[in-house]
Amino acid sequence: MSRPRVLLAGRLMPELESALTAQFDCHFLVNETDPGSFLAAHGKEFRALVTTSKNGADAALMDALPNLKAITHFGVGYDTVDAGAAAKRGIGLSNTPDVLNDCVADVAMGLLIDAGRGLSASDRFVRRGDWLKGQFPLATRVSGKKLGIVGLGRIGQAIAKRAQGFDMDIRYHSRKPVAGTAFTHEPSLVALAQWCDFMIVIVSGGPATRHLISADVIRALGPQGFLVNVSRGSVVDEAALVDALVNRRIAGAGLDVFEDEPRVPQALMALDNLVLLPHLASGTRETRKAMGDLVLANLHSFFEQGRLVTPV
Ligand code: NAP
Ligand code: 8YV
């Protein structure tokens, strides 16, 4: 029997590409010099598309794939896929939830501790030879402090579990209170920012959360407050954040995601009161393998049983 045709929107990690090309008849759209002509000639051959947050899938791409019935997204946050357009066309969409909760939560706590205690900044201090000239400035205590979590979903709850180990006092913001949690729900994001010492942002991306962390929220965090963003760059008003960091109107930040990745505002490069990561929160061999396995499981289930394993 011939292997099903699968369109890959962009490059994936080599192990996943090998598995996909061994198990399916794969075509890389990204290798086409003229993707429009390729899709006009071959678009109807594909019933499944694999994509990532970098490549996404818009309505125009779906229109060019008239027999598309499944989009399998490598990553839990599918904000660059037009989910509404997919639903309208009867295209199923899957993501990779849960398998990355621990690793993303680990990095969120790592950023919080690094920003508060100045670990990366003090590493630079030692490497520059500045320790020979004097002491590194005192930092901010983490244990026992107040933590505001924006988005107490799958990953937010994994972060809360870790923060409890640091005896942190935890409150959270989301549109609806989470059933069965002991943590206090704070309906006002500004009030949460005023209350907490550290704020971790882990909501979904997309138009509904664009600039949720506004200039007002950043102002409310105040000169002693730290912001950690492991959600999507679009969730934070980056211009307001840069302004607050440059002018020390917040104490510091830990950022894994940016509005225009991989471009990071030049004004942030020279600052020592923040930690900059290249969108790596889920980036361990173990977790990325589990995410890839879930993409494969979704494709097999779609082609063999007509349903996705982890539909959104
Ligand atoms: P999830 O379980 O769906 O949780 C999302 C949370 O966001 C929920 O608590 C939800 O609560 C809240 N939320 C959604 N829209 C909101 C709004 N407009 N205002 C306030 N709160 C809102 O998702 P998850 O699996 O934890 O993942 C969260 C996100 O993390 C992903 O979508 C992705 O963008 C990001 N992520 C980043 C990395 C990375 O590498 N940095 C890795 C994995 C995931 P309500 O619906 O009640 O509002
Ligand atoms: C990945 C992510 O880095 O799952 C997500 O939403 O942002 C990360 O796990 C990304 O999706 C890889 O494409």
Side-chain angles (χ1 to χ4, degrees):
M1 216 175 77
S2 67
R3 291 172 306 159
R5 285 280 266 162
V6 172
L7 186 66
L8 310 184
R11 298 308 303 248
L12 299 156
M13 51 185 189
E15 298 79 359
L16 180 56
E17 287 186 356
S18 303
L20 282 164
T21 48
Q23 296 167 36
F24 302 97
D25 178 9
C26 292
H27 189 87
F28 285 90
L29 188 58
V30 76
N31 289 349
E32 289 300 325
T33 44
D34 183 356
S37 302
F38 172 81
L39 289 170
H42 299 282
K44 58 182 174 311
E45 296 164 16
F46 300 96
R47 287 174 58 221
L49 170 76
V50 178
T51 194
T52 62
S53 61
K54 181 176 175 207
N55 301 106
D58 60 15
L61 177 59
M62 295 176 208
D63 286 342
L65 301 166
N67 293 316
L68 189 68
K69 283 286 165 270
I71 299 174
T72 57
H73 183 268
F74 178 83
V76 68
Y78 54 90
D79 46 293
T80 56
V81 174
D82 189 338
K88 209 151 78 184
R89 288 161 178 75
I91 300 168
L93 169 61
S94 65
N95 62 349
T96 59
D98 288 317
V99 294
L100 40 60
N101 294 353
D102 287 337
C103 280
V104 178
D106 291 350
V107 166
M109 289 307 291
L111 278 172
L112 187 153
I113 295 167
D114 194 337
R117 296 296 308 270
L119 301 186
S120 294
S122 59
D123 176 89
R124 290 188 288 271
F125 176 87
V126 172
R127 289 171 198 265
R128 277 195 307 267
D130 286 359
W131 197 10
L132 299 167
K133 302 174 209 157
Q135 287 300 310
F136 187 73
L138 296 181
T140 300
R141 181 184 167 100
V142 167
S143 289
K145 288 292 182 74
K146 294 177 192 153
L147 172 64
I149 302 179
V150 185
L152 197 71
R154 291 171 292 240
I155 302 170
Q157 289 176 43
I159 292 170
K161 190 170 153 191
R162 282 155 179 74
Q164 283 181 299
F166 288 85
D167 297 325
M168 297 187 91
D169 186 3
I170 300 167
R171 295 185 187 176
Y172 71 99
H173 169 82
S174 52
R175 289 167 300 183
K176 303 175 295 292
V178 175
T181 177
F183 307 122
T184 303
H185 178 250
E186 176 50 77
S188 158
L189 199 43
V190 167
L192 185 72
Q194 273 163 349
W195 170 81
C196 70
D197 302 302
F198 294 88
M199 174 174 267
I200 297 183
V201 186
I202 187 64
V203 289
S204 345
T209 54
R210 186 172 185 277
H211 290 189
L212 187 70
I213 307 303
S214 61
D216 284 349
V217 174
I218 294 166
R219 197 171 305 113
L221 207 48
Q224 311 303 325
F226 289 86
L227 182 75
V228 170
N229 186 15
V230 279
S231 62
R232 285 289 180 262
S234 59
V235 178
V236 173
D237 181 340
E238 197 167 88
L241 177 63
V242 169
D243 187 51
L245 284 165
V246 168
N247 295 299
R248 308 276 161 167
R249 282 186 285 98
I250 64 168
L255 307 173
D256 185 44
V257 287
F258 302 87
E259 283 201 327
D260 186 24
E261 292 174 14
R263 280 157 289 277
V264 173
Q266 196 55 38
L268 296 182
M269 300 296 183
L271 299 180
D272 241 4
N273 59 339
L274 82 162
V275 185
L276 303 168
L277 300 183
H279 197 152
L280 56 60
S282 69
T284 61
R285 283 182 294 279
E286 297 87 340
T287 286
R288 290 284 167 86
K289 162 117 182 27
M291 292 163 67
D293 288 348
L294 208 39
V295 167
L296 291 165
N298 272 291
L299 285 172
H300 279 291
S301 177
F302 165 70
F303 283 117
E304 288 148 31
Q305 287 147 48
R307 60 182 175 82
L308 294 163
V309 183
T310 48
V312 303

